[in-house]
Amino acid sequence: MAPKPRHRAAGLVAAAAIAACLPALAAVVPPGTVLAARQELVRNNGAEPESLDPQLIESTNAFNILIDLFEGLTALDNHSKVVPGAAESWTRVDPTTWVFKLRRNARWSNGEPVTAQDFVYGWRRLVDPSNGAALASSLGAHILNGVAITQGKMPVTALGIRAIDAGTVEVKTPGALPFLPYILSFVQFSPAPRAVVEKYGREWTKPGNLVGNGAFMLKEWRVNSKVVVEKNPRYWDAANVVLTRSTYLPVEDTNADLKLYQSGEEDMIFRTPPGAYEALKAQYPKEMHNSLQIALRFHAMNNTDPLLRDVRVRKALSMVIDREILAGKVTADGQLPVFGLVLKGSEGVDPVRYDWADWPMDKRVAEARRLLAEAGVKPGTRLKFAYNTSDYHKRMALFTASEWKTKLGLDTELEAMEYKVLIHRRATADYQVARHAWIPGFADILGLLQLVQCGNDANDNKSCSKAADELIRQASAQVDAGKRRALLTQAVRLEMDDYPMIPLLQMSLPRLVKPWVGGYDEANDQDAFRSKDFYIVKH
């Protein structure tokens, strides 16, 4: 299914002054729609969240729940369009300074007012090295002094955010960042209730303790069973929130997920099982949804590993994987083959792909074998491949192992584990090759370049091209769009030539959604669906 036009980050500059004044209403129910008496939604979330602390999380699975419980200065609606969140308006004062006005009726779930200082506290928690936030440097890079703070070179008080008064937040960026409102929709930029955090410590995110400013409140969290959220009556837009309850299931097995859907135990699956898309589309034509995302599916490679620190080995491993077969036969769910960091819809960069992508496979295999021989890697050499327990990821891992065995003579040991374990092992470089995916949250190429920047928290490859980093730094300080584009394109080429990882597929989002679930929109290419945008039709 072809993707619909998406909201472009580049349009944020011109639209900032007017879009910020538009109402950010919740569910939009078409006239004449008869709502069900029971407004409850059950959706599979794909895995157990690693945490419900908005500043500390990194997974999509945690993000999905937390955008119900917390709200930043801005938010993404169900069309992936930036809308006002806790801030009712904003102004770009100069290329690196923004001012946000908070809503006067913004409240925490305990009734206390949400203030500018709550945002200052929350953002400082994000970059404070002592908290060990998973995406501290990658997100902190968008705020003045954020990276230096995460490195312990500056105090958290130096972060480019301040409370002008109780209802006004000033944000400073390290360079011209026209898409800042998009970035600030990330839940990690939510405010944090200081009194609650300090009272309960690590226990503050448990049911009964957690205080949020989102449209829903945490009712229940049964580990490996479900997370339940209920409507927050103190939310500023509660009058327009239709759902009263939303339940998230942590089912990783896509076949088990499908059975729950077919039995009526859930209203929305996480994604279709591999290879089942076309059959399910024929079986449920009105319930199948699919859209192309600005998101990358790839194999991370530990660049510090003795075998993989040689760029010739990394290049050889990448060359022989047949992306067309992977996309068309293995996953078979609308994803596109990818030969680099630039995706369809990427902005701020020229198209860049590997030259060998157009070679016939026998020529690619011959070159890969030559590279391995030159690097001293013999047939029978063993690799370890880590992935989280899921038929989908297992199928991709088996395909990769087969490609490396049949074409290069390499043996692959597959290691299945829980998602939380995989996240930890990737972050600590305790792996050789690992399945990975990245949804940057915005179309600008900087979102994908985070995966390969030196020292970036998102860089699980532990790679580093100082020359590319310097080009990215220059681009970030560049106001001229053409010059910025040229610098970022050059940086992408340098990174790709270093082969830090194996780009595979541009992700699509094949999903079954019950026909009575209103508010689902395929234009949402970020897969960021707030429960406040849904409603249940009488059925």
Side-chain angles (χ1 to χ4, degrees):
M1 189 176 297
K4 297 180 179 179
R6 70 184 305 277
H7 179 79
R8 297 297 182 185
L12 288 175
V13 182
I18 54 175
C21 299
L22 297 176
L25 299 180
V28 178
V29 183
T33 300
V34 180
L35 295 175
R38 186 184 179 93
Q39 288 295 315
E40 298 183 6
L41 178 72
V42 179
R43 55 195 284 199
N44 182 32
N45 198 35
E48 178 70 17
E50 72 274 21
S51 170
L52 289 182
D53 187 317
Q55 273 77 48
L56 304 188
I57 64 105
E58 67 172 306
S59 74
T60 299
N61 316 89
F63 182 93
N64 291 339
I65 300 170
L66 284 165
I67 57 176
D68 279 354
L69 302 176
F70 291 87
E71 186 173 71
L73 295 168
T74 63
L76 294 185
D77 65 10
N78 59 331
H79 317 300
S80 281
K81 180 180 179 181
V82 175
V83 294
E88 63 182 3
S89 64
W90 56 84
T91 304
R92 191 180 186 188
V93 179
D94 59 48
T96 61
T97 306
W98 300 69
V99 174
F100 295 80
K101 286 289 185 179
L102 300 185
R103 300 178 185 278
R104 293 183 179 181
N105 59 342
R107 292 285 183 276
W108 290 104
S109 54
N110 63 3
E112 295 291 325
V114 176
T115 69
Q117 194 58 44
D118 294 328
F119 279 92
V120 173
Y121 176 68
W123 292 20
R124 287 178 178 176
R125 288 187 76 238
L126 171 64
V127 298
D128 188 337
S130 66
N131 289 326
L135 298 179
S137 67
S138 58
L139 293 178
H142 300 297
I143 311 301
L144 184 66
N145 298 329
V147 173
I149 295 169
T150 64
Q151 296 172 342
K153 298 177 180 178
M154 298 181 76
V156 294
T157 53
L159 189 65
I161 179 175
R162 72 182 180 100
I164 294 178
D165 54 45
T168 310
V169 178
E170 180 189 78
V171 179
K172 286 188 173 292
T173 59
L177 202 66
F179 49 89
L180 181 69
Y182 213 112
I183 296 293
L184 297 187
S185 69
F186 289 16
V187 76
Q188 290 90 341
F189 287 113
S190 297
R194 182 169 189 165
V196 176
V197 175
E198 293 183 348
K199 178 180 180 180
Y200 294 107
R202 293 187 177 182
E203 304 294 306
W204 84 275
T205 58
K206 289 191 173 182
N209 295 347
L210 191 145
V211 172
N213 70 320
F216 290 80
M217 302 180 296
L218 181 62
K219 176 66 175 179
E220 186 177 2
W221 183 7
R222 295 185 187 179
V223 176
N224 293 321
S225 175
K226 63 182 177 180
V227 174
V228 181
V229 300
E230 292 187 344
K231 182 177 177 179
N232 175 11
R234 295 187 173 93
Y235 179 62
W236 65 267
D237 196 26
N240 292 301
V241 177
V242 179
L243 289 185
T244 59
R245 172 182 286 221
S246 191
T247 299
Y248 293 84
L249 306 179
V251 181
E252 293 192 42
D253 188 315
T254 53
N255 290 300
D257 183 14
L258 178 59
K259 289 178 180 178
L260 288 172
Y261 181 86
Q262 293 173 324
S263 68
E265 296 177 70
E266 66 180 34
D267 303 300
M268 183 189 305
I269 70 172
F270 189 68
R271 69 179 305 118
T272 59
Y277 171 66
E278 291 297 339
L280 290 173
K281 182 180 178 182
Q283 185 177 359
Y284 303 101
K286 295 183 179 180
E287 300 173 44
M288 178 62 73
H289 298 267
N290 202 358
S291 57
L292 196 64
Q293 296 179 274
I294 304 294
L296 178 66
R297 197 177 294 284
F298 65 98
H299 291 338
M301 290 190 286
N302 181 357
N303 285 215
T304 66
D305 180 81
L307 175 65
L308 298 175
R309 65 165 56 113
D310 191 319
V311 67
R312 294 169 296 185
V313 177
R314 301 196 299 270
K315 181 177 180 179
L317 293 176
S318 182
M319 291 182 75
V320 300
I321 298 178
D322 195 321
R323 274 83 161 171
E324 283 78 10
I325 292 178
L326 179 63
K329 302 293 184 181
V330 180
T331 59
D333 53 8
Q335 298 183 92
L336 298 181
V338 170
F339 295 90
L341 285 170
V342 181
L343 305 180
K344 186 176 182 179
S346 290
E347 296 177 354
V349 66
D350 293 329
V352 182
R353 67 187 246 135
Y354 291 120
D355 294 337
W356 51 258
D358 299 315
W359 294 1
M361 183 54 73
D362 58 351
K363 181 178 179 181
R364 285 160 56 177
V365 171
E367 175 62 11
R369 288 176 176 173
R370 186 192 69 78
L371 289 170
L372 289 184
E374 191 177 271
V377 178
K378 299 178 180 180
T381 297
R382 180 174 292 272
L383 285 162
K384 291 185 177 181
F385 189 109
Y387 67 97
N388 55 296
T389 308
S390 159
D391 287 343
Y392 193 92
H393 301 309
K394 181 178 181 180
R395 189 164 177 165
M396 288 186 65
L398 285 169
F399 175 74
T400 295
S402 176
E403 293 285 85
W404 290 343
K405 179 64 175 179
T406 59
K407 295 174 179 176
L408 300 177
L410 304 179
D411 295 326
T412 304
E413 177 184 342
L414 300 183
E415 301 177 299
M417 59 199 69
E418 290 185 358
Y419 187 43
K420 290 187 288 187
V421 176
L422 178 66
I423 289 176
H424 177 72
R425 288 186 57 176
R426 287 191 314 219
T428 57
D430 183 19
Y431 77 98
Q432 274 191 300
V433 183
R435 90 91 186 164
H436 213 318
W438 185 251
I439 305 174
F442 54 100
D444 192 270
I445 191 62
L446 278 181
L448 288 164
L449 280 170
Q450 291 177 339
L451 292 170
V452 289
Q453 283 183 269
C454 302
N456 196 301
D457 289 327
N459 184 354
D460 289 337
N461 310 290
K462 310 306 177 188
S463 60
C464 181
S465 170
K466 293 183 178 180
D469 267 23
E470 174 58 23
L471 290 169
I472 295 171
R473 186 196 66 76
Q474 293 176 25
S476 298
Q478 184 58 249
V479 177
D480 183 283
K483 293 179 180 178
R484 178 181 186 272
R485 185 185 192 92
L487 288 166
L488 290 177
T489 300
Q490 189 178 351
V492 167
R493 291 184 188 279
L494 284 177
E495 291 288 7
M496 287 172 52
D497 287 344
D498 194 41
Y499 291 86
M501 60 186 192
I502 304 177
L504 294 170
L505 302 168
Q506 180 166 358
M507 296 170 63
S508 64
L509 191 62
R511 174 175 289 152
L512 288 169
V513 181
K514 294 294 185 182
W516 52 76
V517 176
Y520 192 92
D521 192 332
E522 289 182 26
N524 191 325
D525 58 10
Q526 300 301 324
D527 193 22
F529 287 99
R530 305 174 298 177
S531 291
K532 69 175 283 185
D533 292 314
F534 288 124
Y535 55 91
I536 306 298
V537 179
K538 185 177 180 180
H539 56 281

